[in-house]
Amino acid sequence: MDEILEILEGNSRYSEDEIAVMTGKSVEEVHKAIKEYEEQNVIVGYTTLINWEKTSRESVLALIEVKVTPQRGEGFDKVAERIYKFKEVKACYLMSGGFDLTVIVEGKTMKDVALFVAEKLAVQEHVLSTSTHFVLKKYKDKGVIFNKKPEDDREVLFI
Amino acid sequence: MNIEDMVLPSIKNIPSSGIRKYFDIVNEMDGVISLGVGEPDFVTPWNIREAGIYSLEKGHTHYTSNSGLKELRAEISRYLNRRYGLDYDPENQIIITVGGSEAIDIALRALVGPKDEVIIPEPSFVAYKGCTLFAGAVPKVVNLRAEDDFKLTPQLLKQAITPKTKVLIMPYPNNPTGAVMTHEDIAAIVDVLKDEDMIVVSDEIYSELTYCGNHVSIASFPEIKDRTILISGFSKSYAMTGWRLGYVCAHPVLIDAMKKIHQYAIMCSPTTSQYAAIEALKNSSDDVLYMVSEYNRRRRVMLHGFRKIGLDCFEAQGAFYVFPCIKSTGMSSEEFCEKLLREEKVLVIPGNAFGACGEGYIRACYASSMENIMKAIRRIGNFVSKHCSKQAD
Ligand SMILES: Cc1ncc(COP(=O)(O)O)c(C=O)c1O
């Protein structure tokens, strides 16, 4: 049934009818499968990929490397939870290697992000250090290359 | 001197393609959705392109051996074994060609001449008949039937065999119908062939693109393996049409004969493409799987779409074409295609472009984005309902 997930991951706007045709299943089967995925939180949500740079909205994105002292019995989860609950945090991953958490933060301006780091993130108990990197340009996100609409430039020929 | 007289009559007599006129119309029009061209819409996977670029950076800009890079032949041999259980010696049973196209040409030129007959099941790819004629031989067309799902049946084959028959073309998975032959179907054909003195030229260029089970190669039947010339290539399975790379596998005696033509007419296949193809065979089977599952979804959408419009459409199981019947519209194939193009801006190819028995059908290629396919189906639906209601008046 994972094919339905693949299709929705590529384009969540396909209707159940369309997905049924694509997969060769009945509409009822597709409906039931999607419902189950939603209930089990396999499908966590539906979003739209937007290139905000092309709009008038001002925003900046930063990737912050965070070093943390893990807690006895809880590892990193408790600290991570205190961090990812902030609405400014768009993504939060536990990492292997030289630091522990990647925290992706969005703000209106660089100052906003810097203040967030200084006032909310760096001061968390068990956070040892932070290192903030601002995103200058998004080339590709979620597997999609930005700023380049694929076009069909195949020439007509006789085959 | 009349320059016209300088062209061989046998060439002059080959009609120029009837569908060229559509291409002229397409070039003048904006917003045409083309389901006409038989090539992948995917761009060659990046790792393959990158390998080609890297070979240039390293300065691999010379000829290769006539048969092609040894490493590539070895990879092809391994690939054919892994995928289809075939055994070909890279030393003397494989030539790298300029697409499957060159392979078809050199196979026929090495085998047939005046008075020899080549059995060509139609509808099928146009090059078989053309190359047969260029070789001076006689095409013996077998008209495949929708009621057989456009498969070659032992009965049809037997009827076509004469003492002059030298070659049978096996065009599966088929362009333009999308038909495939199962193990059972092929076994029945092999049963007829094993008592005949003829060579099978099996064009398996679409072998990766099957949607209801793995492709079966006729060369996997030991009874006739030595009499089979297997043709395949990179164009369709790896989305590499522009690289112009294919290959031909056969008994060393046949390979030797074909190599003589290949080395004089071609020298060797493009070097950059050969390096890229090594990467394709080594590291791109996931890309193939991805493309096949995409095509399969589009195939289902197209079959469903045509049937919903009310056009009969047999279950194409291979390549990237569907072949709906348009007889119910009362139009000829060419009329249908020209009107559809002018009125709804969708390009499909008349079935009779692939042989007279394709009349009453159209070929629609689903190597196009899902968005385009859905849009095209809507437009074809409008077109059919407009013309069929007129007919009913
Ligand atoms: C059935 C068949 N064989 C061979 C070819 C030739 O392909 P290439 O020369 O690109 O390998 C095509 C191309 O459309 C085809 O449809």
Side-chain angles (χ1 to χ4, degrees):
Chain A
M1 270 297 182
D2 283 356
E3 186 173 14
I4 295 176
L5 294 178
E6 276 171 33
I7 292 171
L8 284 173
E9 191 182 32
N11 183 348
S12 56
R13 295 189 67 185
Y14 285 131
S15 67
E16 289 175 355
D17 288 16
E18 286 168 336
I19 294 171
V21 174
M22 284 180 212
T23 55
K25 296 180 182 7
S26 70
V27 180
E28 292 71 39
E29 281 176 293
V30 172
H31 177 78
K32 188 161 161 273
I34 293 179
K35 212 162 147 217
E36 277 174 21
Y37 283 135
E38 289 172 349
E39 280 166 10
Q40 294 161 1
N41 225 14
V42 174
I43 292 179
V44 185
Y46 300 90
T47 65
T48 305
L49 198 58
I50 295 170
N51 185 359
W52 284 109
E53 278 177 31
K54 294 195 117 175
T55 70
S56 57
R57 183 168 109 161
E58 285 291 332
S59 77
V60 292
L61 202 62
L63 185 151
I64 301 152
E65 301 173 0
V66 184
K67 284 189 184 153
V68 178
T69 322
Q71 296 306 288
R72 192 178 196 117
E74 281 154 358
F76 296 95
D77 294 356
K78 202 83 182 183
V79 191
E81 186 180 345
R82 290 191 69 97
I83 292 173
Y84 66 63
K85 278 185 170 165
F86 287 106
K87 67 175 186 321
E88 290 87 346
V89 174
K90 297 297 161 191
C92 181
Y93 314 119
L94 180 63
M95 310 299 291
S96 68
F99 60 98
D100 304 306
L101 296 176
T102 290
V103 177
I104 295 184
V105 172
E106 193 184 79
K108 277 205 173 58
T109 62
M110 283 196 184
K111 197 171 157 202
D112 279 349
V113 174
L115 279 177
F116 174 80
V117 173
E119 292 176 357
K120 300 289 196 296
L121 205 56
V123 296
Q124 289 291 328
E125 205 183 347
H126 314 302
V127 166
L128 295 174
S129 70
T130 65
S131 167
T132 303
H133 311 273
F134 284 100
V135 173
L136 300 181
K137 188 173 182 176
K138 266 196 201 178
Y139 295 105
K140 186 176 179 180
D141 204 357
K142 305 256 187 329
V144 179
I145 296 172
F146 280 37
N147 276 331
K148 188 168 154 277
K149 235 186 150 41
E151 66 174 299
D152 190 346
D153 59 357
R154 289 176 291 170
E155 306 207 332
V156 280
L157 81 167
F158 183 52
I159 47 167
Chain B
M1 178 185 83
N2 181 358
I3 199 147
E4 281 264 336
D5 294 340
M6 302 306 284
V7 178
L8 272 179
S10 60
I11 303 295
K12 230 186 298 184
N13 292 342
I14 296 174
S16 328
S17 155
I19 59 178
R20 192 143 296 149
K21 69 173 180 222
Y22 304 117
F23 298 162
D24 296 338
I25 304 173
V26 169
N27 286 333
E28 287 162 16
M29 252 184 192
D30 263 348
V32 173
I33 299 178
S34 172
L35 307 179
V37 182
E39 68 172 323
D41 58 318
F42 296 106
V43 177
T44 309
W46 172 246
N47 62 314
I48 301 176
R49 283 186 275 159
E50 205 266 345
I53 295 166
Y54 183 60
S55 79
L56 290 173
E57 284 175 349
K58 286 225 296 197
H60 292 313
T61 56
H62 304 100
Y63 294 130
T64 68
S65 74
N66 293 119
S67 304
L69 289 171
K70 201 169 163 182
E71 188 184 352
L72 176 56
R73 282 180 282 133
E75 284 299 336
I76 289 170
S77 172
R78 272 195 283 277
Y79 161 84
L80 290 174
N81 186 269
R82 164 172 96 232
R83 291 285 289 142
Y84 310 114
L86 301 172
D87 250 323
Y88 286 106
D89 185 345
E91 282 298 329
N92 58 3
Q93 293 199 280
I94 300 175
I95 306 172
I96 312 296
T97 56
V98 179
S101 301
E102 190 218 341
I104 295 167
D105 182 40
I106 61 175
L108 287 167
R109 277 201 279 164
L111 295 173
V112 295
K115 299 208 176 66
D116 292 332
E117 289 181 359
V118 178
I119 298 178
I120 304 176
E122 283 187 348
S124 61
F125 185 45
V126 286
Y128 310 133
K129 200 192 247 169
C131 291
T132 300
L133 292 169
F134 298 152
V138 184
K140 180 98 187 188
V141 170
V142 172
N143 293 321
L144 301 172
R145 299 175 302 206
E147 62 260 38
D148 301 325
D149 287 349
F150 294 105
K151 291 175 182 187
L152 179 64
T153 65
Q155 291 76 23
L156 288 173
L157 173 59
K158 272 186 215 153
Q159 284 164 19
I161 295 175
T162 75
K164 292 185 191 145
T165 305
K166 198 144 177 222
V167 166
L168 163 67
I169 305 277
M170 276 292 279
Y172 295 97
N174 183 269
N175 168 13
T177 63
V180 300
M181 296 273 283
T182 63
H183 189 275
E184 215 181 355
D185 298 329
I186 298 173
I189 296 297
V190 169
D191 218 36
V192 178
L193 291 174
K194 66 180 194 302
D195 304 321
E196 303 284 343
D197 288 336
M198 64 167 107
I199 301 286
V200 181
V201 174
S202 187
D203 180 355
E204 303 180 20
I205 193 129
Y206 292 101
S207 63
E208 285 286 352
L209 311 186
T210 60
Y211 309 103
C212 308
N214 209 354
H215 167 76
V216 178
S217 172
I218 193 166
S220 65
F221 287 74
E223 303 94 300
I224 61 159
K225 177 177 177 216
D226 282 352
R227 290 191 276 135
T228 300
I229 295 180
L230 169 68
I231 290 171
S232 192
F234 298 87
S235 289
K236 316 290 175 172
S237 39
Y238 296 95
M240 290 179 72
T241 45
W243 299 78
R244 310 305 307 122
L245 207 69
Y247 51 90
V248 54
C249 306
H251 187 282
V253 170
L254 300 179
I255 286 291
D256 241 26
M258 288 186 274
K259 199 153 82 185
K260 286 183 189 162
I261 308 175
H262 174 75
Q263 71 194 16
Y264 290 138
I266 302 288
M267 287 288 268
C268 71
S269 295
T271 302
T272 313
S273 306
Q274 293 190 52
Y275 279 100
I278 292 172
E279 169 67 18
L281 290 171
K282 274 187 168 161
N283 292 318
S284 270
S285 52
D286 282 354
D287 295 295
V288 176
L289 285 181
Y290 166 76
M291 290 190 273
V292 169
S293 70
E294 276 287 320
Y295 289 139
N296 196 10
R297 286 168 206 156
R298 301 170 186 183
R299 179 185 72 101
R300 292 197 184 104
V301 168
M302 228 184 215
L303 285 173
H304 177 85
F306 277 115
R307 287 170 182 166
K308 216 162 154 208
I309 289 167
L311 299 178
D312 256 358
C313 196
F314 111 98
E315 178 91 17
Q317 300 190 349
F320 35 51
Y321 310 101
V322 296
F323 204 59
C325 177
I326 49 107
K327 289 175 189 163
S328 63
T329 64
M331 284 182 252
S332 72
S333 294
E334 295 199 12
E335 198 184 348
F336 185 98
C337 293
E338 186 165 349
K339 283 194 173 142
L340 177 65
L341 180 55
R342 289 195 191 279
E343 293 173 22
E344 294 287 343
K345 297 190 177 183
V346 176
L347 175 67
V348 294
I349 307 292
N352 59 323
F354 306 94
C357 66
E359 177 54 49
Y361 295 85
I362 55 169
R363 184 190 79 176
C365 173
Y366 50 84
S368 193
S369 70
M370 190 66 92
E371 192 187 341
N372 273 346
I373 288 171
M374 288 177 167
K375 225 189 275 176
I377 291 283
R378 275 196 292 278
R379 292 187 191 179
I380 296 170
N382 291 341
F383 176 79
V384 169
S385 64
K386 185 172 110 194
H387 286 275
C388 285
S389 62
K390 227 192 270 165
Q391 207 186 17
D393 285 344

